[in-house]
Amino acid sequence: MEYIEVEGGHAIQGELAVQGSKNAALPMMAAALLTSQPVVLERCPQIEDVRVMCDLLRYVGAEVEQQGEQIRICAKRISNTRLPSELVAKMRSSIILMGPLLARTGKAGMCFPGGCVIGARPIDLHVTGLRRLGYSIAVEEGCVLAESPLQAGRALWQKVGGRPQCGAVSRIHLRFPSVGATENLLMAAALSQQEIVITGAAREPEVRQLGRMLQQMGAEIEGLGSERIRICGCETLQGTTCRVMSDRIAAGTYLIAGAVTGGDVLLHHVDPVDNFPVLQVLEEMGCHISCHEKQQWIHLRAPEMLKRISVVTRPHPGFPTDLQAMLMVALCKAGGVSSIEETVFEDRFRHVEALRRMGARITVQGSRATIRGGSRLKAADLWATDLRAGAAMVLAGLCSEGVSRVYNLEHVRRGYESMSRDLLALGAHIKECLD
Ligand code: UD1
């Protein structure tokens, strides 16, 4: 069995170039299905979820070549539109293939997605939105099957020739700014014969990057980064080359690692503006932060003692739910009583049990965790329950007394190229082992 072994009590110090973003790369890879021309993505993270997405794209008929951080995808023809359960079950983000498959072929089918177990994770917003675009969707026996009744519209449009008449506007309102639903709808709408206005859209930087990629491919999109996005669909989209943005969550993980160990971390290839929500919280906790927007670096120096804080996770530009578990580790070390309210996912406190076993004093009531700081954490053997909980356990190991082991690395590898490599570069006493 593989595990990460980490010896606590050493400050994290040094410089690191942050990996490309998982949450940006996955929808950008899916968007390659919208064109028959080649799409090249630079700086793709070499992580398990990206490998699963490569397999899914190959399955539907795309040619996929991966050379280090570069992935070239060419979906000249799409031969399969029903995704295989064994791949879909590995990654919840498989759902973002629905939009591009439908837009390109008029058909898509899959069983319900897998991924991290952090809540119910319904797909109603995807389904309702795609229905508003005119697709007919059946959800039965754990599977979703979608078809385009727009073929008639397409034929008519082709008969009159030229661009779609963006007169009839379809409006879609998302009752929650779902990242995946916004991305799915953006992709489906970009290759449609309609004008579509999405309100209540997600404002995450990864959504904005997908939108920019679609613009480069020829899509007409306005309002990226805002809660109202307008798309005027095109008949065809062209190939493009894009560089994937840096991973905000990996960056936040290593900044928090610096904060919990009394360290000093300089991260490169990171956008301070995109990372503002976490920087603001770390600053409030007493960390000294400097950054450079143009040169894309962030420097964090930890204080003697972290200050208590109350944080609520929210969609961007709020504090990201994906960093909640790591922040909780920092709050175990802070002075005073802190609280975290998790408002995005309903079951995202699975790391609490592991932290308690290490000596943390945390109580949970519904969506709110109260953390009594100043704990001296003790090393333990821990089992990652999901991707970000696993990362938090590694951070807990860094700031506890003794040697901890974190098992179930398959969760962590879904999102981090190698936490042990990165943290070793930052001076941690850490290694990956095989029993
Ligand atoms: C994306 C990120 C994930 C992050 C999450 C929230 C990717 C690949 N993953 O996931 O890392 O934790 O955003 O920032 O980008 N919801 C519904 N109905 C739906 C869809 C979502 O009720 O149809 C709810 C979910 O249950 C959840 C909330 O909306 O409570 C947020 O989910 P969403 O933004 O869709 O997350 P993902 O796109 O799956």
Side-chain angles (χ1 to χ4, degrees):
M1 202 189 285
E2 285 179 294
Y3 58 91
I4 285 181
E5 190 172 276
V6 51
E7 184 181 285
H10 305 281
I12 291 301
Q13 272 167 349
E15 299 185 24
L16 185 75
V18 174
Q19 69 180 59
S21 162
K22 163 174 106 63
N23 290 355
L26 296 173
M28 291 166 83
M29 292 172 75
L33 294 185
L34 291 167
T35 173
S36 58
Q37 295 178 3
V39 166
V40 177
L41 299 176
E42 315 270 7
R43 230 174 135 242
C44 269
Q46 299 180 63
I47 53 173
E48 195 48 36
D49 275 12
V50 163
R51 281 185 272 276
V52 174
M53 184 57 94
C54 286
D55 288 346
L56 281 161
L57 294 175
R58 285 192 188 103
Y59 182 87
V60 301
E63 280 171 24
V64 182
E65 287 164 27
Q66 188 170 11
Q67 280 194 321
E69 292 185 334
Q70 189 193 76
I71 299 185
R72 183 181 181 278
I73 303 159
C74 187
K76 217 176 256 172
R77 263 176 302 279
I78 300 212
S79 41
N80 281 317
T81 55
R82 176 120 195 204
L83 302 178
S85 309
E86 59 277 17
L87 287 177
V88 170
K90 287 187 182 172
M91 185 177 69
R92 186 188 150 79
S93 304
S94 319
I95 188 79
I96 50 172
L97 287 164
M98 289 283 292
L101 276 177
L102 278 173
R104 181 82 186 278
T105 69
K107 270 188 169 181
M110 62 191 290
C111 60
F112 281 105
C116 283
V117 189
I118 54 180
R121 306 193 82 170
I123 55 164
D124 57 309
L125 296 170
H126 300 253
V127 170
T128 315
L130 290 170
R131 278 191 181 134
R132 292 279 299 166
L133 288 184
Y135 293 104
S136 76
I137 301 182
V139 183
E140 46 193 54
E141 290 178 14
C143 290
V144 45
L145 297 171
E147 252 189 347
S148 167
L150 288 175
Q151 297 303 348
R154 189 182 289 263
L156 178 69
W157 173 37
Q158 277 161 359
K159 223 194 236 165
V160 291
R163 292 196 40 74
Q165 297 301 304
C166 279
V169 184
S170 298
R171 293 181 196 281
I172 302 171
H173 179 72
L174 299 177
R175 64 169 163 73
F176 184 89
S178 157
V179 173
T182 306
E183 292 169 343
N184 235 337
L185 295 171
L186 261 179
M187 290 187 276
L191 196 65
S192 71
Q193 294 97 66
Q194 317 170 51
E195 180 179 343
I196 290 124
V197 175
I198 307 173
T199 52
R203 297 161 63 194
E204 269 68 4
E206 294 78 10
V207 176
R208 194 184 59 218
Q209 186 170 45
L210 171 69
R212 291 207 178 127
M213 173 181 172
L214 295 170
Q215 285 171 333
Q216 267 176 244
M217 293 168 77
E220 250 182 63
I221 305 177
E222 283 168 18
L224 288 171
S226 80
E227 66 84 44
R228 184 181 186 279
I229 303 178
R230 177 182 162 274
I231 309 121
C232 190
C234 305
E235 190 184 3
T236 55
L237 293 169
Q238 65 208 29
T240 189
T241 297
C242 288
R243 192 174 158 80
V244 176
M245 63 184 278
S246 71
D247 196 302
R248 293 186 294 133
I249 308 306
T253 304
Y254 298 133
L255 290 172
I256 297 173
V260 287
T261 58
D264 188 316
V265 175
L266 175 60
L267 297 183
H268 297 284
H269 291 323
V270 280
D271 188 331
V273 177
D274 290 345
N275 286 283
F276 177 74
V278 66
L279 297 185
Q280 196 180 25
V281 163
L282 289 170
E283 214 158 40
E284 241 180 279
M285 292 175 73
C287 295
H288 307 280
I289 299 200
S290 47
C291 48
H292 200 293
E293 202 183 318
K294 269 215 176 103
Q295 293 171 8
Q296 302 267 291
W297 56 258
I298 299 172
H299 177 222
L300 173 141
R301 196 158 46 79
E304 288 273 300
M305 179 76 173
L306 292 167
K307 291 185 205 155
R308 64 155 297 279
I309 192 172
S310 293
V311 171
V312 182
T313 64
R314 294 214 191 276
H316 192 78
F319 187 84
T321 173
D322 284 352
L323 283 172
Q324 180 256 109
M326 297 74 139
L327 182 72
M328 192 177 284
V329 176
L331 297 181
C332 292
K333 306 295 286 183
V337 180
S338 300
S339 71
I340 296 183
E341 197 182 336
E342 171 59 61
T343 72
V344 180
F345 290 105
E346 65 273 22
D347 187 16
R348 210 170 195 183
F349 285 137
R350 290 181 174 228
H351 44 284
V352 168
E353 190 47 46
L355 296 178
R356 278 198 196 122
R357 283 210 289 119
M358 299 176 89
R361 292 166 300 168
I362 305 169
T363 50
V364 175
Q365 270 195 316
S367 60
R368 190 185 171 88
T370 305
I371 304 112
R372 289 187 187 282
S375 295
R376 284 177 61 174
L377 300 183
K378 296 242 162 20
D381 283 357
L382 305 162
W383 279 263
T385 46
D386 65 71
L387 163 55
R388 304 303 170 185
M393 290 173 198
V394 175
L395 296 201
L398 287 175
C399 61
S400 60
E401 291 165 14
V403 177
S404 298
R405 290 185 193 88
V406 180
Y407 292 88
N408 285 356
L409 293 188
E410 66 275 14
H411 288 298
V412 181
R413 288 186 182 136
R414 289 192 41 224
Y416 295 86
E417 286 188 345
S418 171
M419 274 193 91
S420 51
R421 175 201 67 194
D422 288 349
L423 287 166
L424 192 68
L426 292 171
H429 292 208
I430 190 167
K431 58 182 175 189
E432 267 180 43
C433 311
L434 191 63
D435 250 354

